[in-house]
Amino acid sequence: MSDWQIAIERALENNIPKVEEILNQYPYLKDYGVQLRQTKEEVVNNLEKYVKQTMESVKRTGGKVYLAKDAEEAREILKDIVGSNKKIVMAKTNVGHEINVTETLEAKNNQVFETDLGAYLIQLSHGESSHIVFPSLHLTRENIGELLHDKLNMPVNRNSTIEELVAQVRQFLRQRYMEADIGITGANSISADSGSVALVENEGNIRIDTVFPPVHIVITGIDKIVPTLDDALKEVMVQSAYAGLYPPTYINVSSGPSSTADIELKRVSPATGPKEFHVILLDNGRMEASKDPDMKEALLCIKCGRCYFSCPVYRVKGSSWGQPPYGGPTGAMWTAIVNKDYETANYCTHSGGCREVCPVQINIPKVLEHIKWLFIDEGQNNLSVTP
């Protein structure tokens, strides 16, 4: 049996029954999923309006906000904010990976450390993520023990327990936080009415990344916008549950730089936490998708990653299906949106499992069928221009 087969079998054994247990124990989460579909449809159908409202709200809280039309523009904005010779701690962000944050900042002589355990293992191994929520899913505990010993000379090996591995990385990363100039995160959701960024996690790294360094930068797609802070909190709760991690250890909400009203009840900024709060909103094909009657369904995705485990193709191909960070069934949709790669969808066998487990009831097979037609049209167009 290959390492991938061992890793995916262990993940399925741990995750699938856990999600079912959570949904039975907290039945309101299914209702939240249905409500989220309705609120996200409202945003997707009026995306320009909600982008504008979100930007105005971020400014009102004292933050700085930028709208990047594509990955290159987002990288230029990020370089202007960060500069060079900085130490940066970064929480796992798929949109950050989409624009190659680490490579971009390291090229300017900055030091970048991933602080999510799975994302850090990927950085350390110079590999690619294999799941949108659990990027190091393809690494077994035996692989990770060898990796930490070989790369960092940690006192662990392939026979170490998971608890021993986690403890070693925890000790290593805590020192990185103390030295950081800037914290970079993504967003699980961002509310148009308040400009608040909601993030869900269990490790505690996001909490530190967002409050300890003097500068907090958020990089997220415009598809993460929801109408209200109430909607934003529901999204992180549903995302956590369908990833099998409910209740989450932490939910973080950031609304502008740190502030205090402890003197005469006048709210001033900054206080103890970050003195700067930047939000980079990335389009990169999302606005165009919102105007396509078939593709806009993909923008409802909350990226819980549950569809991966119901997909027979992903169970076999793993990270070789799609372009990281977007792999698996939902990744085939996102690769088409942000990379204009329509060929990846051809691996879908239309088993329909992804549609059945999606918390916001996205008809993923139908979207992928549409993308397959785009691939055929693209091929015919290329043939028509061949001399």
Side-chain angles (χ1 to χ4, degrees), residues 173-343:
L173 287 178
R174 286 185 75 84
Q175 184 62 32
R176 308 286 89 74
Y177 297 123
M178 302 298 289
E179 301 169 345
D181 301 298
I182 295 171
I184 296 178
T185 71
N188 289 106
S189 54
I190 179 167
S191 65
D193 66 341
S194 65
S196 303
V197 172
L199 286 155
V200 63
E201 60 153 337
N202 300 284
E203 297 178 25
N205 66 307
I206 290 178
R207 180 152 292 195
I208 303 175
D209 290 344
T210 57
V211 300
F212 203 85
V215 178
H216 177 197
I217 302 172
V218 179
I219 305 171
T220 191
I222 55 177
D223 57 293
K224 287 296 182 181
I225 295 172
V226 290
T228 68
L229 180 54
D230 181 45
D231 299 321
L233 293 175
K234 284 179 179 172
E235 179 158 343
V236 299
M237 292 167 69
V238 174
Q239 200 269 358
S240 174
Y242 281 77
L245 298 165
Y246 193 87
T249 308
Y250 305 105
I251 290 176
N252 303 283
V253 175
S254 299
S255 309
S258 61
S259 63
T260 179
D262 278 357
I263 300 177
E264 299 179 354
L265 297 185
K266 180 180 180 181
R267 193 170 184 177
V268 297
S269 181
T272 307
K275 61 182 180 181
E276 293 181 26
F277 179 71
H278 302 263
V279 177
I280 301 174
L281 294 170
L282 179 64
D283 179 344
N284 208 26
R286 291 165 173 82
M287 189 66 76
E288 180 183 348
S290 75
K291 296 172 182 174
D292 183 313
D294 296 296
M295 289 294 287
K296 68 180 183 180
E297 180 89 353
L299 300 177
L300 305 178
C301 177
I302 64 169
K303 299 184 176 68
C304 66
R306 194 183 184 206
C307 57
Y308 286 63
F309 299 137
S310 70
C311 175
V313 179
Y314 174 74
R315 291 188 186 193
V316 173
K317 292 188 66 64
S319 61
S320 63
W321 183 21
Q323 295 186 32
Y326 302 123
T330 193
M333 298 190 299
W334 280 95
T335 299
I337 291 172
V338 305
N339 298 322
K340 297 293 182 284
D341 172 2
Y342 306 134
E343 186 174 10

Side-chain angles (χ1 to χ4, degrees), residues 48-253:
E48 291 179 4
K49 167 191 152 185
Y50 280 100
V51 169
K52 181 180 178 184
Q53 184 184 358
T54 303
M55 296 182 73
E56 290 171 349
S57 296
V58 172
K59 291 176 186 174
R60 196 167 58 246
T61 63
K64 295 182 179 179
V65 62
Y66 318 81
L67 177 60
K69 65 181 179 185
D70 55 29
E72 180 59 34
E73 193 167 298
R75 286 191 287 268
E76 292 303 315
I77 293 169
L78 183 63
K79 286 190 288 187
D80 286 344
I81 299 171
V82 173
S84 57
N85 302 312
K86 302 292 195 318
K87 293 182 178 179
I88 298 156
V89 286
M90 189 161 77
K92 178 182 63 189
T93 157
N94 290 310
V95 176
H97 194 167
E98 180 182 324
I99 68 169
N100 296 320
V101 164
T102 301
E103 296 81 355
T104 299
L105 296 181
E106 287 181 341
K108 299 281 289 182
N109 295 320
N110 296 292
Q111 294 182 46
V112 182
F113 290 94
E114 292 276 6
T115 59
D116 172 85
L117 175 56
Y120 179 66
L121 293 172
I122 295 301
Q123 183 181 24
L124 192 63
S125 66
H126 302 289
E128 291 287 1
S129 64
S130 52
H131 189 276
I132 205 164
V133 178
F134 311 107
S136 61
L137 188 144
H138 58 290
L139 297 175
T140 64
R141 55 179 175 265
E142 292 86 355
N143 298 148
I144 295 168
E146 291 177 340
L147 176 69
L148 296 177
H149 177 77
D150 294 345
K151 294 284 187 177
L152 299 175
N153 198 30
M154 288 180 174
V156 292
N157 55 48
R158 61 180 294 107
N159 297 318
S160 297
T161 65
I162 295 175
E163 288 82 359
E164 290 169 337
L165 300 172
V166 172
Q168 286 294 321
V169 178
R170 176 180 185 272
Q171 184 177 356
F172 174 81
L173 287 178
R174 286 185 75 84
Q175 184 62 32
R176 308 286 89 74
Y177 297 123
M178 302 298 289
E179 301 169 345
D181 301 298
I182 295 171
I184 296 178
T185 71
N188 289 106
S189 54
I190 179 167
S191 65
D193 66 341
S194 65
S196 303
V197 172
L199 286 155
V200 63
E201 60 153 337
N202 300 284
E203 297 178 25
N205 66 307
I206 290 178
R207 180 152 292 195
I208 303 175
D209 290 344
T210 57
V211 300
F212 203 85
V215 178
H216 177 197
I217 302 172
V218 179
I219 305 171
T220 191
I222 55 177
D223 57 293
K224 287 296 182 181
I225 295 172
V226 290
T228 68
L229 180 54
D230 181 45
D231 299 321
L233 293 175
K234 284 179 179 172
E235 179 158 343
V236 299
M237 292 167 69
V238 174
Q239 200 269 358
S240 174
Y242 281 77
L245 298 165
Y246 193 87
T249 308
Y250 305 105
I251 290 176
N252 303 283
V253 175

Side-chain angles (χ1 to χ4, degrees), residues 23-41:
L23 297 180
N24 288 330
Q25 188 172 355
Y26 306 97
Y28 57 87
L29 292 165
K30 289 184 179 178
D31 295 335
Y32 283 2
V34 174
Q35 294 171 28
L36 267 178
R37 179 179 176 92
Q38 295 170 351
T39 55
K40 289 180 75 71
E41 281 180 333

